[in-house]
Amino acid sequence: MRSRRLKAPEGMDTRPTADKVKEALFSILLRHVPGARVLDLYAGSGALSLEAISRGAASAVLADCSQKACKIIAENIESLGCQDRARLLRQGDSAALALLKKEGAQFDLIFLDPPYRMNMSDVCARLEKEGILAEDGIIIVEHAKENAPTPPDTLTLVDRREYGITGLSFFKRTGEE
């Protein structure tokens, strides 16, 4: 799906991942993407999970609580023709995680790209505790570089990168580094 432009919600509610950061992220994840089950919990435009699908991920669940963002995500999924591999949940993180836990869903790659002011430590802990993070799965948190999340005891920081004002933190289950 190379060089296809995605729509992004207008306004300040959504902060799309910069192309430079996205390219760096997928270079780091290169060997983890093919065949991966992806969760994009604060999907925005869906760019991260749709990029993963274009690079060989088996499937993606995209969740967002913004109806404006969900409309754009649905349009992007349709324009890329990946309806068979992408599922949109029009709900916030708590409701989406409760549904996914009930379904017994597990994910190899979990993208968390929330508003920078959100504390992701509790969400990371919940992903691992409720079995949503697959064995050998990776949680990737995009954050302001000065606001890096602290991993809960059950997760270990395995990598952290900075790109301008943006930071990327990579977590795995403790003992799976």
Side-chain angles (χ1 to χ4, degrees), residues 13-30:
D13 294 339
T14 303
R15 175 196 30 76
T17 301
D19 287 342
K20 170 179 86 168
V21 176
K22 188 168 43 171
E23 282 303 314
L25 171 62
F26 282 97
S27 290
I28 294 164
L29 295 176
L30 186 66

Side-chain angles (χ1 to χ4, degrees), residues 99-170:
L99 174 66
L100 294 169
K101 178 184 178 188
K102 182 178 176 183
E103 293 175 351
Q106 290 193 319
F107 299 92
D108 307 299
L109 297 174
I110 299 176
F111 296 119
L112 304 178
D113 184 10
Y116 277 176
R117 66 188 174 279
M118 285 183 70
N119 180 337
M120 286 289 90
S121 297
D122 291 341
V123 174
C124 287
R126 186 172 175 194
L127 288 164
E128 194 280 329
K129 179 182 167 211
E130 295 187 355
I132 294 170
L133 178 64
E135 188 174 326
D136 292 326
I138 303 169
I139 298 172
I140 304 98
V141 181
E142 184 174 335
H143 53 85
K145 75 176 181 182
E146 68 277 356
N147 191 28
T150 304
D153 292 341
T154 56
L155 296 173
T156 300
L157 176 70
V158 293
D159 197 358
R160 180 166 285 145
R161 307 285 176 102
E162 293 181 358
Y163 305 92
I165 63 167
T166 302
L168 294 174
S169 294
F170 300 78

Side-chain angles (χ1 to χ4, degrees), residues 48-64:
L48 292 178
S49 49
L50 295 173
E51 181 73 23
I53 287 173
S54 79
R55 292 176 183 242
S59 62
V61 173
L62 300 84
D64 205 294

